Amino acid sequence: MVYIVFLGAPGAGKGTQAASMARKLKLAHIATGDLFRQALERGTELGLKAKSYMEKGVLVPDQITIDMVLERISAPDSGGGAVFDGFPRNLKQAEALGEALARQGKAIDKAVYIKVSEEELLERLSGRRVCRQCQAPCHMSDSPPRVEGRCDRCGGELSQRPAATEVSIKKRLEVYSDETAPLIDYYRRAGKLLEVAGEGGVEVVGNRIVAALGGERL
Ligand code: AMP
């Protein structure tokens, strides 16, 4: 059983790398942003609760988020462990996750922190698009779609997340540095932090993560 948390600012490449590591290690990929967006598209009660927070770029209340994650962890495909992406986002969530795992005799094994400069983050975030259908990300300058406005993977419509305007990008970065960045120290103190440079292509960064995790006994 392996549990890995991915940490990094919005735009650091966390989502892409977390999905790829989950595939490689055959673990469930638990991405809270994706879970909220799916709930929103389906118009469920959870989606409606999360909507206004997501549009403002602030965090959905902890209890809603924690309950959603705990339910997801108990799904059958999470039996072998999971990669957490976008969760925990603050100390309260980190503690709730640690306690829930401890009740089952489990624990977070490693926290992979993908480090990218603020200047690069802003440039990456403003060109970001996401497929409405399959949630696959692409970037207007780094990985432009083959057909304009359409997802390369499934042909779905690409959208700029409501959260991708300049103001909300700044807000999300602010929320990250106030609430989420303290988790870097939290996992460092627990002896679980692996710091990886996030500059460079998807594959280069992926290889750094594999090398960092490969040096650990999981
Ligand atoms: P993301 O795709 O991870 O950037 O998440 C998009 C939005 O979903 C965030 O700006 C938050 O409003 C919400 N969200 C995602 N994960 C969490 C979380 N762990 N706690 C609270 N809100 C979250």
Side-chain angles (χ1 to χ4, degrees):
M1 209 102 58
V2 178
Y3 291 93
I4 302 171
V5 164
F6 269 71
L7 293 175
K14 240 182 350 336
T16 310
Q17 298 297 345
S20 144
M21 283 313 298
R23 266 196 309 275
K24 280 190 190 130
L25 298 172
K26 298 192 169 50
L27 302 173
H29 175 210
I30 302 184
T32 43
D34 287 352
L35 293 175
F36 282 133
R37 273 185 293 278
Q38 281 157 15
L40 198 60
E41 298 259 315
R42 291 197 197 113
T44 65
E45 200 185 324
L46 175 69
L48 291 177
K49 278 189 195 155
K51 188 170 191 266
S52 65
Y53 302 101
M54 294 175 76
E55 282 171 358
K56 288 188 212 118
V58 298
L59 297 185
V60 175
D62 287 333
Q63 207 51 54
I64 298 177
T65 310
I66 291 165
D67 288 349
M68 175 178 80
V69 171
L70 296 191
E71 192 185 320
R72 183 67 187 80
I73 300 180
S74 50
D77 75 314
S78 305
V83 170
F84 295 99
D85 165 10
F87 181 89
R89 272 295 224 279
N90 58 26
L91 284 171
K92 184 158 177 221
Q93 294 182 4
E95 281 162 5
L97 177 63
E99 283 160 18
L101 291 176
R103 281 197 290 277
Q104 301 172 25
K106 304 169 191 162
I108 292 296
D109 295 284
K110 288 290 158 198
V112 175
Y113 167 39
I114 306 180
K115 195 172 175 182
V116 174
S117 73
E118 183 154 350
E119 201 184 356
E120 167 111 13
L121 289 176
L122 279 171
E123 144 60 28
R124 288 188 188 182
L125 285 167
S126 43
R128 192 190 244 191
R129 299 289 183 277
V130 68
C131 173
R132 281 187 191 280
Q133 213 157 294
C134 73
Q135 317 289 329
C138 74
H139 193 280
M140 300 317 280
S141 51
D142 296 351
S143 58
R146 286 192 294 271
V147 178
E148 204 183 316
R150 291 281 153 195
C151 171
D152 281 352
R153 198 203 276 173
C154 77
E157 187 194 346
L158 291 176
S159 72
Q160 184 170 21
R161 293 179 188 173
T165 59
E166 282 297 319
V167 176
S168 67
I169 288 171
K170 290 236 163 70
K171 182 72 199 162
R172 287 169 72 213
L173 288 174
E174 211 178 283
V175 170
Y176 169 77
S177 65
D178 291 349
E179 304 198 41
T180 312
L183 294 181
I184 297 166
D185 259 350
Y186 175 83
Y187 286 113
R188 185 181 284 129
R189 278 200 299 275
K192 295 182 176 177
L193 196 77
L194 294 174
E195 198 169 307
V196 173
E199 268 98 8
V202 170
E203 212 170 309
V204 174
V205 178
N207 289 339
R208 286 185 198 130
I209 296 172
V210 170
L213 283 169
E216 301 292 324
R217 289 175 62 92
L218 290 177

